[in-house]
Amino acid sequence: MLFQLRLRIESRRCCENHFSSLCLVAPVVLLLFALGPHAPPIAAQELDQAAMVEPAMDTWPTYNGDYSGKRFSPLDQINSSNVGSLTLAWVFHPHASTIKSTPLEVNGILYFTVPDNVWAVDARFGREIWHYHRDSEGDHIGNRGLGMYKNWLYFTTPDSHVVCLDAKDGAVRWIVELADPKLGYFATMAPLVVRDHVIVGVSGDVTDIRGFLESLDPETGKIQWRWYTEPDPGQPGSETWPRDTDALLHGGGMTWMTF
């Protein structure tokens, strides 16, 4: 369930606290009932990449808000003196599994996920703009969210794929496989966009497969580079592993959390 709160003492918009599955804003509740299905529509707009390197103020464009990884917003309209005045503004029911993702907020639209699903929701009224669904096999333990580059969204899937969607309507641009799910790989990580790199990782620690990070071209999904969490034989650090065995190729080290 995704829900939104408002301040009784104010009626202007505020996204003041850091996001988790909770977004704090301040629409007028009576307006929600008055507008009903006639609320003015909102359309997705392209993300300004400069927002990625600034403290999170009027947007939350990446999993941690910005590249600091602090998951903190310096906004202070909602604070210890008025937090007790928050009341419910709207509730959005995805009718799916538990939301574990951190919503992105870009130009008034919330983007969030559960395994196999992505939603775009108007942050003002909690109205669904679009919904994308893709059936997959694999471990559906959860999904931590999306990455965004310009007007494109990226998310990982239980069968260890990366899907790129158009933020305007949820149309698929491309889908690529990260790793073979038959080997035990799956993916839950929220992709991290750094310049023209979409960085993704894998899960699969129920087996003895190798963990890795991979960088994809945001335009095409083509692999730019892959880095394994264990060194290849002969690389620095490989001498610390047992010799005359293949333990080095079965060391785990999954990369499921975004920093």
Side-chain angles (χ1 to χ4, degrees):
M1 179 187 299
L2 190 72
F3 60 96
Q4 182 187 70
L5 305 178
R6 71 175 180 96
L7 277 175
R8 287 198 299 267
I9 59 176
E10 301 191 40
S11 62
R12 60 191 175 89
R13 180 180 180 275
C14 58
C15 283
E16 311 297 332
N17 211 344
H18 61 81
F19 282 71
S20 103
S21 293
L22 170 67
C23 175
L24 304 178
V25 294
V28 179
V29 171
L30 291 178
L31 184 61
L32 299 179
F33 290 100
L35 290 174
H38 305 295
I42 187 170
Q45 300 177 40
E46 184 172 307
L47 171 64
D48 180 1
Q49 295 302 113
M52 306 283 281
V53 297
E54 299 294 334
M57 298 291 285
D58 61 349
T59 189
W60 196 268
T62 187
Y63 179 77
N64 287 313
D66 59 26
Y67 288 135
S68 72
K70 297 178 180 177
R71 302 177 67 79
F72 173 77
S73 170
L75 300 178
D76 59 5
Q77 185 177 351
I78 295 175
N79 52 54
S80 59
S81 68
N82 59 27
V83 66
S85 298
L86 291 171
T87 59
L88 183 66
W90 54 256
V91 177
F92 181 83
H93 290 279
H95 301 291
S97 57
T98 303
I99 298 174
K100 297 182 179 181
S101 67
T102 295
L104 303 186
E105 191 281 326
V106 178
N107 297 314
I109 298 179
L110 298 173
Y111 302 98
F112 59 96
T113 65
V114 301
D116 295 337
N117 295 271
V118 181
W119 284 269
V121 171
D122 186 333
R124 303 169 300 170
F125 305 109
R127 175 168 301 160
E128 181 178 306
I129 299 172
W130 54 258
H131 170 218
Y132 171 78
H133 174 77
R134 172 184 177 271
D135 287 321
S136 71
E137 298 181 354
D139 196 326
H140 286 65
I141 189 173
N143 187 279
R144 292 172 175 82
L146 303 117
M148 190 170 189
Y149 175 83
K150 296 182 178 179
N151 195 46
W152 307 324
L153 297 165
Y154 307 87
F155 80 106
T156 57
T157 68
D159 58 354
S160 198
H161 284 65
V162 179
V163 180
C164 176
L165 304 176
D166 191 317
K168 292 182 178 179
D169 55 14
V172 176
R173 298 187 64 250
W174 50 256
I175 301 176
V176 298
E177 185 179 80
L178 277 175
D180 189 347
K182 295 179 181 179
L183 298 178
Y185 282 105
F186 61 99
T188 66
M189 173 186 173
L192 177 64
V193 176
V194 181
R195 295 182 180 175
D196 57 349
H197 307 278
V198 179
I199 300 174
V200 290
V202 291
S203 298
D205 45 6
V206 295
T207 56
D208 61 353
I209 47 183
R210 300 177 77 188
F212 62 86
L213 288 175
E214 192 167 274
S215 177
L216 304 176
D217 186 311
E219 301 267 358
T220 64
K222 183 179 179 180
I223 296 176
Q224 295 168 325
W225 51 258
R226 176 180 285 192
W227 174 81
Y228 285 100
T229 52
E230 300 89 11
D232 288 322
Q235 289 184 336
S238 61
E239 71 280 0
T240 66
W241 288 75
R243 296 184 178 181
D244 302 323
T245 72
D246 63 351
L248 188 62
L249 303 179
H250 302 278
M254 295 299 130
T255 50
W256 51 267
M257 182 56 73
T258 308
F259 289 99

